[in-house]
Coordinates of all heavy atoms in Angstrom, one line a residue:
I1 N -42.0 0.3 7.1 CA -41.4 1.3 6.3 C -39.9 0.9 6.0 O -39.1 0.9 6.9 CB -41.6 2.7 6.8 CG1 -43.1 3.0 6.9 CG2 -40.8 3.7 5.9 CD1 -43.4 4.4 7.5
W2 N -39.6 0.6 4.8 CA -38.2 0.2 4.5 C -37.4 1.4 4.1 O -37.7 2.1 3.1 CB -38.2 -0.8 3.4 CG -38.9 -2.1 3.8 CD1 -40.2 -2.5 3.6 CD2 -38.3 -3.2 4.4 NE1 -40.4 -3.7 4.2 CE2 -39.3 -4.2 4.7 CE3 -37.0 -3.5 4.9 CZ2 -39.0 -5.4 5.3 CZ3 -36.7 -4.8 5.5 CH2 -37.7 -5.7 5.7
K3 N -36.3 1.7 4.8 CA -35.5 2.9 4.5 C -34.0 2.6 4.4 O -33.7 1.4 4.7 CB -35.8 3.9 5.7 CG -37.2 4.3 5.8 CD -37.4 5.4 6.9 CE -37.3 6.8 6.3 NZ -38.4 7.3 5.6
D4 N -33.2 3.6 4.2 CA -31.8 3.5 4.1 C -31.1 3.7 5.4 O -29.9 4.0 5.4 CB -31.2 4.3 2.9 CG -31.5 5.8 3.1 OD1 -32.2 6.1 4.1 OD2 -31.1 6.5 2.2
V5 N -31.9 3.6 6.5 CA -31.3 3.8 7.8 C -31.8 2.5 8.6 O -32.7 1.8 8.3 CB -31.9 5.1 8.5 CG1 -31.4 6.3 7.9 CG2 -33.4 5.0 8.6
P6 N -31.0 2.2 9.7 CA -31.2 0.9 10.4 C -32.5 1.0 11.2 O -32.9 0.0 11.8 CB -30.0 0.8 11.3 CG -29.4 2.2 11.5 CD -29.7 2.9 10.2
G7 N -33.1 2.1 11.4 CA -34.3 2.2 12.2 C -34.5 3.7 12.7 O -33.9 4.6 12.1
M8 N -35.1 3.9 13.8 CA -35.2 5.2 14.4 C -34.1 5.4 15.4 O -33.9 4.6 16.3 CB -36.6 5.4 15.1 CG -37.1 6.8 15.1 SD -38.9 6.8 15.0 CE -39.2 8.5 15.1
L9 N -33.5 6.6 15.3 CA -32.4 6.9 16.1 C -32.8 7.9 17.2 O -33.8 8.6 17.0 CB -31.2 7.5 15.4 CG -30.7 6.6 14.3 CD1 -29.7 7.3 13.4 CD2 -30.1 5.3 14.8
N10 N -32.1 8.0 18.3 CA -32.5 8.9 19.4 C -32.1 10.4 19.1 O -32.5 11.3 19.8 CB -31.9 8.5 20.7 CG -30.4 8.6 20.7 OD1 -29.7 8.7 19.6 ND2 -29.8 8.5 21.9
A11 N -31.4 10.6 18.0 CA -31.1 12.0 17.6 C -30.7 12.0 16.1 O -30.4 10.9 15.6 CB -30.0 12.6 18.4
D12 N -30.6 13.1 15.5 CA -30.3 13.2 14.1 C -28.8 13.0 14.0 O -28.0 13.9 14.5 CB -30.7 14.5 13.5 CG -30.6 14.6 12.0 OD1 -29.6 13.9 11.5 OD2 -31.3 15.3 11.3
P13 N -28.2 12.0 13.3 CA -26.8 11.7 13.2 C -26.1 12.8 12.4 O -24.9 12.9 12.6 CB -26.7 10.4 12.5 CG -28.0 10.2 11.8 CD -29.0 10.9 12.6
K14 N -26.8 13.7 11.7 CA -26.2 14.8 11.0 C -25.7 15.8 12.1 O -24.7 16.6 11.8 CB -27.1 15.5 10.1 CG -27.5 14.7 8.8 CD -27.9 15.6 7.7 CE -29.3 16.1 7.9 NZ -30.4 15.3 7.4
Y15 N -26.3 15.9 13.2 CA -25.9 16.9 14.2 C -25.3 16.4 15.4 O -24.7 17.1 16.2 CB -27.2 17.7 14.5 CG -27.8 18.3 13.3 CD1 -29.1 17.9 12.9 CD2 -27.2 19.4 12.6 CE1 -29.7 18.4 11.7 CE2 -27.8 19.9 11.5 CZ -29.0 19.5 11.0 OH -29.6 20.0 10.0
F16 N -25.5 15.1 15.7 CA -25.1 14.5 17.0 C -24.2 13.2 16.7 O -24.5 12.5 15.8 CB -26.3 14.1 17.9 CG -27.1 15.2 18.3 CD1 -28.2 15.6 17.6 CD2 -26.8 16.0 19.4 CE1 -29.1 16.7 17.9 CE2 -27.6 17.1 19.8 CZ -28.7 17.4 19.0
Q17 N -23.1 13.1 17.5 CA -22.4 11.9 17.5 C -23.0 10.8 18.4 O -23.8 11.1 19.3 CB -20.9 12.2 17.8 CG -20.2 13.0 16.8 CD -18.7 13.4 17.2 OE1 -18.5 13.4 18.4 NE2 -17.9 13.5 16.2
N18 N -22.5 9.6 18.2 CA -22.9 8.5 19.1 C -24.4 8.3 19.3 O -24.9 8.1 20.3 CB -22.2 8.6 20.5 CG -20.7 8.8 20.4 OD1 -20.1 8.2 19.6 ND2 -20.2 9.8 21.2
T19 N -25.2 8.6 18.1 CA -26.6 8.3 18.2 C -26.8 6.8 18.4 O -26.0 5.9 18.0 CB -27.3 8.7 16.9 OG1 -26.6 8.1 15.8 CG2 -27.3 10.3 16.7
Q20 N -28.0 6.5 19.1 CA -28.3 5.1 19.3 C -29.6 4.7 18.6 O -30.5 5.5 18.5 CB -28.4 4.9 20.8 CG -27.1 5.0 21.6 CD -27.3 4.7 23.0 OE1 -28.2 5.3 23.7 NE2 -26.4 4.0 23.7
L21 N -29.6 3.4 18.2 CA -30.9 2.9 17.6 C -31.9 2.7 18.7 O -31.6 2.0 19.7 CB -30.5 1.6 16.9 CG -31.7 0.9 16.2 CD1 -32.2 1.6 15.0 CD2 -31.3 -0.5 15.7
L22 N -33.1 3.1 18.5 CA -34.2 2.8 19.5 C -34.9 1.5 19.0 O -35.5 1.5 17.9 CB -35.2 4.0 19.4 CG -34.6 5.3 19.8 CD1 -35.6 6.4 19.5 CD2 -34.2 5.3 21.4
S23 N -34.8 0.5 19.8 CA -35.4 -0.8 19.3 C -36.9 -0.8 19.4 O -37.6 -1.4 18.6 CB -34.8 -2.0 20.0 OG -35.0 -1.9 21.4
S24 N -37.4 -0.1 20.4 CA -38.9 -0.2 20.6 C -39.2 1.1 21.3 O -38.7 1.5 22.3 CB -39.3 -1.4 21.5 OG -40.7 -1.3 21.7
I25 N -40.2 1.9 20.7 CA -40.8 3.1 21.3 C -42.3 3.1 21.2 O -42.9 2.4 20.4 CB -40.1 4.4 20.7 CG1 -40.4 4.5 19.2 CG2 -38.6 4.5 21.1 CD1 -39.9 5.8 18.7
S26 N -42.8 4.0 21.9 CA -44.4 4.1 21.8 C -44.8 5.1 20.7 O -43.9 5.8 20.2 CB -44.9 4.7 23.2 OG -44.5 6.0 23.3
Y27 N -46.0 5.0 20.3 CA -46.5 6.0 19.3 C -46.3 7.4 19.8 O -45.9 8.2 19.0 CB -48.0 5.8 19.1 CG -48.4 4.4 18.6 CD1 -49.3 3.6 19.3 CD2 -48.1 4.0 17.3 CE1 -49.6 2.3 18.8 CE2 -48.5 2.8 16.8 CZ -49.3 2.0 17.6 OH -49.7 0.8 17.0
R28 N -46.6 7.6 21.0 CA -46.4 9.0 21.5 C -45.0 9.5 21.4 O -44.7 10.6 21.1 CB -46.9 9.0 23.0 CG -47.1 10.4 23.6 CD -47.6 10.5 25.0 NE -46.6 10.2 25.9 CZ -46.8 10.1 27.2 NH1 -48.0 10.2 27.7 NH2 -45.8 9.9 28.0
E29 N -44.1 8.6 21.9 CA -42.6 9.0 21.7 C -42.2 9.2 20.3 O -41.4 10.2 20.0 CB -41.7 7.9 22.4 CG -41.9 7.8 23.9 CD -41.3 6.6 24.4 OE1 -41.4 5.5 23.9 OE2 -40.6 6.6 25.5
A30 N -42.8 8.4 19.4 CA -42.4 8.6 18.0 C -42.9 10.0 17.4 O -42.2 10.6 16.7 CB -43.0 7.5 17.2
I31 N -44.2 10.3 17.9 CA -44.7 11.6 17.4 C -43.9 12.8 18.0 O -43.5 13.8 17.3 CB -46.2 11.8 17.8 CG1 -47.0 10.8 16.9 CG2 -46.7 13.1 17.7 CD1 -48.4 10.6 17.4
E32 N -43.5 12.6 19.3 CA -42.7 13.7 19.9 C -41.3 13.8 19.3 O -40.8 14.9 18.9 CB -42.5 13.3 21.5 CG -43.7 13.6 22.3 CD -43.6 13.1 23.8 OE1 -42.5 12.6 24.1 OE2 -44.5 13.2 24.5
L33 N -40.7 12.7 18.9 CA -39.4 12.7 18.3 C -39.5 13.4 16.9 O -38.6 14.2 16.5 CB -38.9 11.3 18.1 CG -38.0 10.7 19.2 CD1 -37.8 9.2 18.9 CD2 -36.7 11.4 19.3
S34 N -40.6 13.1 16.2 CA -40.7 13.7 14.9 C -41.0 15.2 15.0 O -40.5 15.9 14.1 CB -41.9 13.0 14.1 OG -43.1 13.2 14.7
Y35 N -41.6 15.6 16.0 CA -41.8 17.1 16.2 C -40.4 17.8 16.5 O -40.2 18.9 16.2 CB -42.8 17.4 17.3 CG -44.3 17.3 16.8 CD1 -45.1 16.5 17.5 CD2 -44.7 18.1 15.7 CE1 -46.5 16.4 17.0 CE2 -46.0 17.9 15.3 CZ -46.8 17.2 15.9 OH -48.2 17.1 15.5
F36 N -39.5 17.0 17.1 CA -38.3 17.5 17.5 C -37.2 17.3 16.4 O -36.0 17.3 16.6 CB -37.7 17.0 18.8 CG -38.5 17.6 20.0 CD1 -39.3 16.8 20.7 CD2 -38.5 18.9 20.3 CE1 -40.1 17.3 21.8 CE2 -39.2 19.5 21.3 CZ -40.0 18.6 22.1

């Protein structure tokens, strides 16, 4: 999925500073992150 962001971050940069790019996560973690 090609987006205007570098990948999936550990938090929403709109609300948190110093967010980090997650280079590899599991399906389960991705689903959990999306629910949050």
Side-chain angles (χ1 to χ4, degrees):
I1 295 178
W2 296 91
K3 299 185 88 77
D4 55 0
V5 291
M8 207 152 179
L9 304 171
N10 62 347
D12 190 330
K14 286 204 288 270
Y15 305 110
F16 297 95
Q17 291 182 327
N18 307 320
T19 53
Q20 290 180 315
L21 178 69
L22 302 166
S23 59
S24 176
I25 58 171
S26 70
Y27 297 116
R28 195 177 78 181
E29 288 167 321
I31 288 170
E32 283 172 4
L33 273 169
S34 64
Y35 279 125
F36 288 113

